[in-house]
Amino acid sequence: MREVNAHAGFPIKPVYGPEDVAGRDVERDLGRPGEYPFTRGIHKHMYRDRLWTMRQYIGFGTPAETNARFKYLMAHGQDALNVAFDLPTQLGLDSDDPRADGEVGRVGMAIDTLADMEEAFAGIPLDRVSVSLTINGMAAPITAMYFAVADEQGAARDRVVTTPQNDILKEFVARGTWVYPVEPSLRLVGDLIEYAARHYPRSNPVSVCGYHIREAGCTTAQEMAYGLAIAAAYIDMMVRRGMDVDEFAPRVSFNFTAWGKIFEEVAKFRAGRRLYARMLRERFGAKNPKSWMFRTLIGGGGSAFVPQEPENNIVRGAYIALAAALSGTQTMALPTYDEAYTIPSAKAQLIALRTMQICAEEAGAADTADPLGGSYFVEALTNQMEEQILAEVARQAYRFEQALASGEVGKVGVNCHVADGAAPADPEVELYAFDAAVAATQVAKLTRVRRERDDRAARAALARLSDEARGTGNLMPAIVEAVKAYATLGEINRAMKDVFGEHKEPVQW
């Protein structure tokens, strides 16, 4: 009989029974859906009352191109957006910065000023559409631009739902798009959390991302462990700043993957909800039940999909959607089958959207709350996962890559069930044709905005921002003022970098 191990490292038994869950306090550890500790889901009836929102990671080229793709997907039933920004935007560089050469609009849309954000969301009512902004080091100015567009549209502030990622700690741990040193970076995270809680109460001003740490190679248990630890760091920071935990904790959100084994992923989220609820109530003293709720986007990590036999990724996506639904997600986001190759095509994005819709409407995954609850296997796995998460301290990225290369971890079409003994890239996949003219278009627009704006107002706002950065107050009002004066992202970044300095990664010898 072959041996099977969870990605978390513990062995999976061939059969589970009552003895595997004996000794647990069912009421304490499980409860009912919608009740503490939320092991079985954060809502009483889950998807019978409200289906998960469906998103895809979208953004390329100019804001106008991205706006067209937004509207295409919304016309086909997508009810929320997840926005990708190009690398210069993520790093706070204007499109005409020499360091942005060759990267403008390549892996996301370019945003230089409020004018770009206005174009990106033209015709999209920001009081009716939930929008995630995948931005970290530049989360404060980019979210300020988004808030400004919502204000221009006349949207009531208590109706604006947006989720800037704003998780800088995972950038230091796993991803690398940091800008400032750690302390001022954390200050900006806290400033946005505080500002949003008091001015845009339905926004989710931080999305803690175990996702990227999993993509860096950790196990399922490590993904949840890092996510909970980072969330605790932000919550502790805000409490030390003087905010009551119940003032902001109900809007803390999460972003995790579900591309591994289905039952292990379900167990990870059931254990994570339980641990988070206990942490908020017992460690931080939160009294509002909404503060105890672990609200998460669940999607497939990019590493789940491969360029070999890319149509197999459609099947993988269906299983990811099922795992996310069974795990109790609030938002589902699927990668597209061509994502291992290229910026997603419209066809591939429509297939991913239809996959989520079929999971919701045809497969029965939304029919009842926590459908796997009570399974000896799932309950035992949830308990083991909880223990692993609590004990987890070390990463296993190198070991995972070794296991994938050796075939110990199977990837169909890559290292097992390979057609004709080889796994070549498929030449039929439509590749995104990056247009170098995008940069010229973006730079021309940036030049025009600089020429037409009230330059005196922009300079005054930037000077105020620098002055405020030298103090200890919340920087968001000064950032909002600079944004509305059409200061560029690069100028706003520079005004703070001149005060904060720049983070330098330690040299590894």
Side-chain angles (χ1 to χ4, degrees), residues 55-290:
R55 302 178 190 267
Q56 289 177 75
Y57 190 45
I58 313 163
F60 57 93
T62 65
E65 291 177 284
T66 299
N67 177 270
R69 185 66 62 85
F70 286 163
K71 291 176 178 175
Y72 169 81
L73 289 168
M74 292 172 68
H76 286 85
Q78 184 163 307
D79 55 0
L81 302 171
N82 193 359
V83 184
F85 298 94
D86 69 2
L87 191 57
T89 300
Q90 293 180 51
L91 294 173
L93 303 177
D94 288 336
S95 294
D96 59 358
D97 190 302
R99 292 168 292 179
D101 187 37
E103 292 294 337
V104 176
R106 183 177 289 276
V107 297
M109 72 169 169
I111 295 291
D112 290 311
T113 69
L114 176 57
D116 292 320
M117 197 68 82
E118 292 165 340
E119 188 172 25
F121 292 99
I124 297 174
L126 300 189
D127 56 354
R128 293 199 295 259
V129 178
S130 173
V131 178
S132 290
L133 305 169
T134 307
I135 194 77
N136 295 284
M138 290 294 107
I142 289 295
T143 308
M145 292 181 190
Y146 185 88
F147 287 156
V149 173
D151 288 349
E152 289 174 359
Q153 290 185 358
R157 290 188 170 187
D158 62 357
R159 299 295 303 167
V160 176
V161 181
T162 185
T163 306
Q165 202 161 88
N166 195 31
D167 179 5
I168 200 64
L169 287 179
K170 71 94 172 44
E171 296 294 324
F172 289 113
V173 172
R175 189 166 175 268
T177 61
W178 56 69
V179 180
Y180 315 113
V182 175
E183 288 302 323
S185 294
L186 285 171
R187 175 186 175 184
L188 285 167
V189 170
D191 286 353
L192 181 50
I193 292 173
E194 182 180 55
Y195 182 84
R198 293 173 177 170
H199 298 278
Y200 295 86
R202 291 190 64 201
S203 64
N204 307 298
V206 63
S207 179
V208 178
C209 296
Y211 173 103
H212 300 87
I213 298 171
R214 179 78 175 278
E215 287 291 277
C218 73
T219 68
T220 47
Q222 288 169 335
E223 176 190 10
M224 185 59 70
Y226 273 108
L228 294 177
I230 289 172
Y234 292 142
I235 293 166
D236 183 65
M237 174 180 71
M238 298 312 297
V239 170
R240 285 188 286 108
R241 285 174 66 133
M243 291 190 77
D244 184 279
V245 65
D246 287 320
E247 186 179 0
F248 66 89
R251 305 312 300 179
V252 172
S253 63
F254 291 85
N255 180 349
F256 280 84
T257 66
W259 60 263
K261 298 180 180 182
I262 290 176
F263 300 103
E264 186 177 346
E265 296 294 343
V266 171
K268 175 185 75 181
F269 286 106
R270 296 173 93 247
R273 280 194 294 270
R274 187 154 76 201
L275 288 167
Y276 185 73
R278 288 175 178 163
M279 179 174 76
L280 266 292
R281 191 167 83 166
E282 297 171 13
R283 174 176 169 182
F284 290 106
K287 295 179 174 58
N288 184 349
K290 290 184 178 180

Side-chain angles (χ1 to χ4, degrees), residues 21 30 33 39-41 46-47 261-270 273 319 322-328 364-382:
V21 293
L30 292 183
T39 306
R40 303 198 61 199
M46 287 303 291
Y47 308 129
K261 298 180 180 182
I262 290 176
F263 300 103
E264 186 177 346
E265 296 294 343
V266 171
K268 175 185 75 181
F269 286 106
R270 296 173 93 247
R273 280 194 294 270
Y319 285 120
L322 179 61
L326 296 176
S327 295
D367 288 354
T368 190
D370 191 29
L372 298 183
S375 157
Y376 297 132
F377 176 42
V378 170
E379 297 301 350
L381 203 59
T382 299

